[in-house]
Amino acid sequence: MSLKATHDLHRRRFGRNLGVGLALAAFIVLVFGLTIVKMSNADRVMPAATEAAD
Amino acid sequence: MSDVSITSIREDDAGFGDYFALLKPRVMSLVVFTALVGLMAAPVPVHPLIGFCAILFIAIGGGASGALNMWWDADIDRIMTRTRKRPIPSGRVQPGEALSLGLGLAGLSVVMLALATNWFAGAFLAFTIFFYVVIYSMWLKRSTPQNIVIGGAAGAFPPVIGWVAATGGMAVEPWLMFALIFMWTPPHFWALALFMRSDYDDAGVPMLTVTHGRRATRVHILVYTVLLAALALGAAFSGIGGPIYLCVSAVMNLLFLHGAWRIWQRSEPGAEADNFHCEKRFFRLSLLYLFLHFGAILAEALLRPWGLGGWG
């Protein structure tokens, strides 16, 4: 016999898990975006620094 | 073994919203707005994503402070009607969960802000969390009637952190924004204490209304409002001010001074007779006061690239 998740408890737990999952996914996207921006900035600064050293 | 035997059933299991409520979202909105203004008012261009991350992690740091404050103050939150429905006193979240969430988010926000912007900003955020949780919540709140005055500094730091996140350095302007919130906090909370009559009494929190009486609180509100008006109007002629700010500040300070004057004039029976109408109005006005002042600073900053902001 299978158990059915009909209790309000299951709904709240699902909501909580979904919230945590979405927050983690958003965090990953944010860190990725931040990395790209930081690396692009570094690319812009680096040539200038190497030119100055010439 | 059945599934049921290995699952601990807690009827009061918290939902995602309960954990979010631990972060004091309404306070967080003030943190977000003032930090944003601090960041935008800084005379340095910031990449939009870095700016977004800075504000987000400052907000998460503020939220972490809120969770740690709720963990520490759960005993008095249970007594006060205004706070009785918070996640811990209502039993939806366990104190240990709030502590873990607060510590985890505090660490995450500080490290991420430091990585996204600079370590000075990260250190400043760490200090702010420490100040709010340890200096205000754990020490001052229950030991001195000056709790709101000194503790108000914690809420005043976000624009400074925003500025530091953008520039990596310090200047006079962010400290003017700090002073604005710092001087605004006591009259704002004392007005609340006047009409939330028995809450602080019952909880044994030494608010000015409890230790020095309600008459002294009314005098304090007027004195702080006069000092705040002088500061707010003076800031109009600094780097963050300008004609828009001056107009907004002049109107708001007139209204605020009038409100404080009326509160000072009232007797307790008179206030009780109209259910603290003046005090409640002053409290609502105080929210608009801060919002419009920072809105005006933001407007001056946004118009500056077109040569319209500031005094030219």
Side-chain angles (χ1 to χ4, degrees), chain B residues 193-210:
Chain B
L194 279 175
F195 66 81
M196 294 305 284
R197 288 179 58 82
S198 64
D199 258 13
Y200 292 111
D201 283 311
D202 297 343
V205 176
M207 281 298 267
L208 204 63
T209 43
V210 180

Side-chain angles (χ1 to χ4, degrees), chain B residues 223-242:
Chain B
V223 171
Y224 268 83
T225 305
V226 170
L227 294 173
L228 173 65
L231 175 85
L233 287 168
F237 305 98
S238 72
I240 55 170

